[in-house]
Amino acid sequence: MLKKISKFIVDKRYILFGLFFIFLIFSLVFMSHTNVNYDLSKYLSEDTETRQALKIMEDEFSATSSVNLMIKKTDTVDENNLNELVTKLNNMDGVTLASLAKSNDNYQMISIMLNTGDYDKASQETVLKIEELLKDYTFYVSGASVNSMTLENNIEKEVKIILLVAVLIILAVLLLTSHSWFEPVIFLIVIGVSILINMGTNFIFGSISYITQSVQAILQLALAMDYSIILLHAYEENLTKGYDDKKAIIHALWHSLVSIFSSALTTIAGLSALMFMSFTIGFDIGMVLSKGILCSMLTVFLLMPGLILLCRKPLLKLKHKPLSLKGNWIHKVVDVAKIPISVVLIILIGVCFVLQQHNDYIFAYETNSPQSEKIKKEFGSSSQMVIILPLAKTSEDYQKQIELEERLKTIQIDNQTIVSGVTSMSNVQDGMLVQPMPIDNLVSMTGLEVDTITMIYDFFKLDHETELTYNVVLTIDDFLLKAENEALTAYDMANTLHYDNFLMAYVYIKLNVEKITIKDFVNKIQTIDEFEQLEEPKKNLIIQMDALFQNQTMINSIHEIASQVRTGVSNFNSDKHSRMVINLDITASQKEKNKKTIELIKKEVSNIYNGENHYLAGQNMVSYDIEKAFKSDLLKVNLITIIAILIILLISLKSLLLPIILVFVIQGAIYISMSTSYIFNQPIFFMSYLICICIQMGATIDYGIILTSKYLYSRKEKDKNESMKDAIRSALPTILTSGTILVVAGFIVYFISSEMAISSIGLLLGRGTIISIILVLFLLPSLILLLDKPILKLMLHKKGENVTKSIENE
């Protein structure tokens, strides 16, 4: 069956060329249709507090983002300049509120709230407009929207450099280990096509994370290159057996299908474990990288055979002797010292297992930004959180908010006050708008007379004692807006209006139709009593309003105040919830302080809103929720990876003992690699850790499979020492070539990327691969030689019977 499939692929190679060309064009077109997501909160489980809070904010509130603007004080930058600047910022599209904040001898901080989200393009555009406005100042900006823009620019620039450097170094490795100077060209064409197809088909997911976007190409290049090497070397071996070109590639494909498929399957199994994380960025990374491995495998199977035949002449003309990698010395060391090697490395693995359990994990980090560092140096760390509270409807509800604000400002950790400021509806217009209606306050705010305000209260049936000021302001403004919008209709209907609509109709006409007197208006209305016959309160109200609406300046003032109130209400109150913005003097990256701060905030909120639902959101809360899910995700990912690979090895090697030995060796390499971080006091970004243990288990176990398969094949006819010698000599070139490529790719990412989430993947992967190679070449052969008899006795296929009998005779 496999032979027929191989023959079909080779015979139909030109049709396949056409299909791949179409897929390639399709991918290039759709590559730009994949959005890159920089907001890790999107990947939190729906049952986390952060997601619940974010869902409420998305449904009920306008988006917000904060920007910290620090301006250097000079002889020309004084208080007047700064106040003018704040006014300009407040009048800028995209800015909800700008206000003077912290200050020292050299710098003034301005706090800016945007009306778009942290990761919205609109926020980045607003930041650019702010920078343009400040081009004549010495200034620094920071904040989530600034960080997202910096992160995006860094990644876009660095990914290109990483790929270019990786390709050049990998090309050098391939040239040294290849049999023809032209081989690397074929390898790079095949892997390049598969990478482009993988990236182009990412649009099916709608969006992918910035971590996935950054590492997908380089990891696919490193993880799948050996598929091409296996097929091409098999083709060259068949040529030496006397096959012609076509038969050689058919036989090579036929014999390579199973080994390449098994290799791809173990890698996919490792990556697929990420898909079961509760933090769904694992699904994002697992799906994209698994798809990449699948694309690489299919490209090798379907495109590469035809490409080899097409390029057979340059392959033959440019043949050379590869770098000699026999590895006889490795066999000698293993043969002589297999017991001490096994004992020492097993003890080392045990010690490292304990050490790596004490690793320090990072769940949030700050993007590398000189401007942010400068602001932090002058004013310390800062971040924002949001508390979602039950809707405040009465002054008593707002008193709860005021009490909560006071309690939050007293929170201290290690004698440091953590909450530097709180913004909510109770702060709008200095708190006056959420107090019960003091008539004097409204007089000073609107310029209306006391009698007018009193009559307005009576007319709209407002409670003098308990009605909130902002409700009164909005009521008056709604009254005015309705008057302006419906004037003509009201005038036409005036002769049918009853007294309840009398005042409104009068305002419509006074403002928008024509300047008429009260007497003219009363004369028009024939269906109610004459004006002189109205009750005194009614007459007085009309007279007072007549004076008001002849003062357009006062009307404009009321509109302006109401606009500010509406902004405040939309920012802090919805139909169902209120929210409160907290400024903290720590960041999410300060893990222990952040954890204590959140717990203290939750305690204070619970004390005041006992039994009522409330939620916290913000980058601080995102890292808090991720940390809570990390341990269960880690256990889940480890177990799924190990069980899946054990099953695959059991099926492919048909052995009960070898899968356990192989998994032990690679898991031991992971323990040694990760314990190094503890020894050198290097905190690990949690996502980098999860990605790397899956890749290291799924990819580097292939090295063990190659060596083990070669050993079993040779063991059918030779003793264990000769078989191991053959296995090491045969497997070493493939292990070192594939492993070197993965190591090179990892360390290039580490040294070039400025983003810790990306660079740490490179460090862990490069370091882990080196340790895996060492253990596969020394510990694995030692264990196989020591456990040779039980390994072969526990084989699951009949071919092992002859070997077992020969063992009994040895």
Side-chain angles (χ1 to χ4, degrees):
M1 181 66 179
L2 291 178
K3 190 174 181 180
K4 288 181 180 179
I5 292 172
S6 301
K7 187 175 185 305
F8 177 83
I9 290 170
V10 173
D11 288 342
K12 304 298 181 184
R13 58 188 180 276
Y14 292 108
I15 294 174
L16 292 172
F17 285 162
L19 290 174
F20 270 97
F21 181 76
I22 292 169
F23 268 110
L24 193 58
I25 298 300
F26 174 87
S27 298
L28 290 171
V29 170
F30 279 89
M31 203 176 292
S32 61
H33 290 260
T34 304
N35 294 320
V36 180
N37 176 42
Y38 293 84
D39 183 3
L40 293 183
S41 68
K42 298 290 185 185
Y43 301 105
L44 286 169
S45 172
E46 292 297 329
D47 60 358
T48 59
E49 186 170 339
T50 300
R51 280 306 305 157
Q52 293 176 55
L54 291 174
K55 181 71 168 61
I56 290 171
M57 289 202 290
E58 288 167 7
D59 292 345
E60 301 179 24
F61 294 95
S62 58
T64 60
S65 181
S66 63
V67 174
N68 295 319
L69 170 62
M70 186 175 79
I71 298 177
K72 185 174 179 60
K73 293 178 180 177
T74 65
D75 293 339
T76 57
V77 179
D78 56 18
E79 188 174 338
N80 290 333
N81 297 127
L82 291 170
N83 286 328
E84 288 175 12
L85 181 59
V86 168
T87 302
K88 289 179 181 178
L89 289 169
N90 277 313
N91 291 330
M92 182 180 288
D93 289 341
V95 174
T96 297
L97 181 65
S99 58
L100 296 175
K102 301 176 184 177
S103 178
N104 62 24
D105 292 339
N106 299 314
Y107 293 95
Q108 171 69 54
M109 179 81 83
I110 297 177
S111 179
I112 305 172
M113 182 181 289
L114 309 183
N115 58 21
T116 46
D118 289 341
Y119 300 93
D120 293 348
K121 287 291 183 185
S123 294
Q124 296 183 11
E125 290 169 3
T126 304
V127 170
L128 293 175
K129 286 193 293 184
I130 291 171
E131 291 179 343
E132 176 63 24
L133 176 66
L134 296 164
K135 62 185 178 182
D136 296 328
Y137 295 80
T138 301
F139 69 93
Y140 306 87
V141 288
S142 68
S145 53
V146 179
N147 289 344
S148 70
M149 185 164 59
T150 304
L151 181 63
E152 189 173 335
N153 292 336
N154 286 349
I155 287 175
E156 188 176 339
K157 177 179 63 179
E158 291 169 357
V159 165
K160 294 173 184 175
I161 299 172
I162 287 168
L163 273 176
L164 178 61
V165 175
V167 166
L168 291 176
I169 296 179
I170 289 170
L171 185 61
V173 172
L174 292 173
L175 286 171
L176 288 172
T177 58
S178 66
H179 296 80
S180 167
W181 299 117
F182 197 76
E183 280 183 15
V185 176
I186 294 178
F187 294 153
L188 293 178
I189 290 173
V190 171
I191 197 68
V193 168
S194 65
I195 287 172
L196 290 173
I197 290 175
N198 185 44
M199 293 176 71
T201 51
N202 283 337
F203 81 94
I204 62 177
F205 303 123
S207 69
I208 60 173
S209 75
Y210 74 92
I211 297 176
T212 309
Q213 171 74 359
S214 303
V215 300
Q216 61 174 333
I218 188 71
L219 289 185
Q220 190 178 342
L221 175 68
L223 293 172
M225 182 64 78
D226 53 339
Y227 306 160
S228 302
I229 295 171
I230 291 170
L231 180 59
L232 190 55
H233 287 182
Y235 164 72
E236 288 167 349
E237 284 179 16
N238 282 314
L239 286 177
T240 61
K241 293 177 182 178
Y243 292 112
D244 61 30
D245 291 322
K246 190 172 179 181
K247 285 186 178 179
I249 193 62
I250 290 173
H251 278 267
L253 185 57
W254 168 24
H255 290 296
S256 301
L257 277 170
V258 174
S259 58
I260 292 174
F261 182 75
S262 298
S263 176
L265 200 59
T266 55
T267 306
I268 289 172
L271 294 169
S272 297
L274 292 168
M275 300 181 199
F276 294 89
M277 289 172 57
S278 59
F279 187 50
T280 57
I281 194 173
F283 185 86
D284 178 270
I285 295 169
M287 281 295 292
V288 172
L289 293 183
S290 295
K291 179 165 63 68
I293 298 300
L294 189 61
C295 287
S296 295
M297 183 182 71
L298 291 175
T299 307
V300 169
F301 286 161
L302 304 177
L303 178 64
M304 190 170 175
L307 199 59
I308 290 173
L309 289 179
L310 192 66
C311 301
R312 59 188 180 275
K313 288 184 179 179
L315 277 171
L316 293 172
K317 283 184 180 179
L318 297 173
K319 285 187 73 67
H320 69 90
K321 285 186 177 181
L323 185 68
S324 180
L325 296 169
K326 294 182 179 179
N328 290 334
W329 69 273
I330 296 175
H331 171 258
K332 288 178 183 178
V333 171
V334 169
D335 187 35
V336 172
K338 53 183 173 287
I339 293 177
I341 286 174
S342 299
V343 171
V344 169
L345 289 179
I346 288 172
I347 291 173
L348 178 63
I349 287 170
V351 171
C352 290
F353 169 73
V354 175
L355 292 179
Q356 60 90 36
Q357 289 184 314
H358 298 286
N359 273 327
D360 183 22
Y361 296 99
I362 296 172
F363 301 95
Y365 74 97
E366 297 171 52
T367 300
N368 183 23
S369 167
Q371 295 198 57
S372 296
E373 290 301 315
K374 179 65 176 175
I375 293 174
K376 191 190 299 183
K377 182 180 177 182
E378 293 295 330
F379 292 106
S381 300
S382 64
S383 59
Q384 278 193 346
M385 288 188 69
V386 174
I387 309 178
I388 303 294
L389 300 167
L391 178 62
K393 298 178 182 178
T394 66
S395 59
E396 287 79 8
D397 296 332
Y398 284 109
Q399 287 304 318
K400 282 187 177 181
Q401 286 193 13
I402 292 168
E403 183 183 353
L404 177 59
E405 288 176 24
E406 294 305 315
R407 289 197 182 193
L408 292 175
K409 289 175 182 176
T410 63
I411 291 177
Q412 288 191 335
I413 297 174
D414 300 331
N415 297 320
Q416 176 192 355
T417 300
I418 299 298
V419 179
S420 59
V422 182
T423 310
S424 66
M425 262 300 291
S426 60
N427 303 123
V428 178
Q429 292 290 320
D430 298 325
M432 182 173 63
L433 292 172
V434 296
Q435 300 296 332
M437 164 50 198
I439 289 179
D440 290 344
N441 283 0
L442 198 57
V443 168
S444 63
M445 183 190 303
T446 63
L448 298 176
E449 295 180 12
V450 174
D451 290 344
T452 304
I453 292 176
T454 303
M455 286 184 282
I456 289 173
Y457 261 71
D458 293 338
F459 183 78
F460 289 106
K461 300 180 176 61
L462 301 174
D463 190 322
H464 289 233
E465 300 300 325
T466 63
E467 198 70 36
L468 297 175
T469 304
Y470 84 81
N471 283 337
V472 181
V473 173
L474 294 181
T475 299
I476 296 172
D477 193 57
D478 286 340
F479 179 84
L480 296 175
L481 290 172
K482 189 171 182 182
E484 293 169 359
N485 293 335
E486 302 183 18
L488 292 175
T489 304
Y491 185 74
D492 292 339
M493 295 173 59
N495 62 343
T496 62
L497 293 175
H498 297 291
Y499 176 72
D500 288 343
N501 304 100
F502 181 88
L503 179 59
M504 189 70 74
Y506 171 68
V507 174
Y508 295 157
I509 295 166
K510 281 302 273 188
L511 285 179
N512 295 280
V513 182
E514 54 186 307
K515 295 293 183 182
I516 60 173
T517 64
I518 293 175
K519 185 175 180 181
D520 293 333
F521 180 70
V522 172
N523 288 337
K524 179 171 175 56
I525 301 174
Q526 302 299 323
T527 56
I528 62 172
D529 296 333
E530 293 295 329
F531 179 71
E532 287 76 8
Q533 296 175 342
L534 293 177
E535 298 171 7
E536 283 302 314
K538 295 181 180 180
K539 290 167 60 177
N540 289 336
L541 178 57
I542 294 172
I543 293 169
Q544 292 282 349
M545 296 308 290
D546 179 52
L548 167 65
F549 291 115
Q550 291 184 47
N551 188 340
Q552 191 64 46
T553 302
M554 189 180 296
I555 292 172
N556 292 339
S557 173
I558 293 172
H559 284 329
E560 185 177 342
I561 294 168
S563 175
Q564 294 174 9
V565 172
R566 283 191 171 88
T567 299
V569 171
S570 66
N571 282 331
F572 301 108
N573 277 2
S574 73
D575 293 336
K576 299 177 182 177
H577 296 89
S578 293
R579 70 175 172 180
M580 183 180 287
V581 180
I582 312 172
N583 296 318
L584 304 176
D585 284 340
I586 62 165
T587 62
S589 60
Q590 296 169 275
K591 187 173 66 173
E592 292 306 317
K593 276 191 175 181
N594 183 56
K595 186 176 179 181
K596 289 178 183 177
T597 298
I598 288 173
E599 288 170 352
L600 288 171
I601 290 172
K602 289 166 74 71
K603 179 182 176 182
E604 295 295 352
V605 177
S606 296
N607 286 340
I608 294 176
Y609 292 90
N610 185 31
E612 297 182 84
N613 288 335
H614 50 267
Y615 310 92
L616 271 68
Q619 291 303 314
N620 303 67
M621 195 65 196
V622 170
S623 65
Y624 180 83
D625 280 336
I626 291 172
E627 184 176 0
K628 285 201 300 184
F630 175 67
K631 287 186 178 179
S632 62
D633 276 346
L634 178 58
L635 179 63
K636 197 186 303 180
V637 165
N638 263 320
L639 286 177
I640 291 171
T641 304
I642 290 170
I643 292 170
I645 289 176
L646 279 173
I647 293 170
I648 293 167
L649 293 177
L650 183 67
I651 295 169
S652 60
L653 294 177
K654 295 180 174 58
S655 167
L656 291 175
L657 187 55
L658 275 174
I660 297 171
I661 295 172
L662 281 169
V663 168
F664 171 76
V665 169
I666 300 302
Q667 192 66 49
I670 291 172
Y671 291 149
I672 294 172
S673 174
M674 297 307 172
S675 67
T676 307
S677 296
Y678 172 76
I679 293 167
F680 289 100
N681 194 28
Q682 297 173 328
I684 304 173
F685 185 60
F686 80 103
M687 202 63 230
S688 306
Y689 179 83
L690 291 169
I691 292 169
C692 288
I693 62 173
C694 291
I695 290 176
Q696 194 173 339
M697 176 60 76
T700 63
I701 204 163
D702 289 348
Y703 310 155
I705 294 171
I706 293 168
L707 188 142
T708 304
S709 300
K710 301 285 186 184
Y711 176 80
L712 291 176
Y713 182 79
S714 181
R715 192 70 177 90
K716 293 175 185 177
E717 300 175 354
K718 300 179 183 179
D719 65 25
K720 62 183 182 182
N721 286 324
E722 284 299 314
S723 296
M724 185 55 69
K725 184 177 181 180
D726 289 346
I728 292 173
R729 185 172 59 246
S730 178
L732 188 62
T734 304
I735 292 172
L736 287 184
T737 303
S738 178
T740 302
I741 289 171
L742 193 51
V743 170
V744 165
F747 281 116
I748 287 171
V749 170
Y750 170 62
F751 284 114
I752 293 178
S753 179
S754 61
E755 296 301 325
M756 190 192 66
I758 312 303
S759 64
S760 58
I761 292 175
L763 174 63
L764 296 179
L765 193 56
R767 187 175 67 196
T769 304
I770 291 173
I771 295 170
S772 291
I773 292 171
I774 292 170
L775 263 60
V776 165
L777 292 178
F778 291 95
L779 179 59
L780 180 60
S782 300
L783 291 175
I784 290 175
L785 289 175
L786 290 172
L787 300 171
D788 178 71
K789 287 186 179 181
I791 286 171
L792 295 176
K793 283 183 178 180
L794 293 172
M795 296 296 288
L796 298 178
H797 57 83
K798 293 181 180 180
K799 290 180 182 178
E801 290 178 0
N802 294 333
V803 180
T804 304
K805 289 176 182 177
S806 67
I807 291 170
E808 292 169 353
N809 296 326
E810 287 180 4

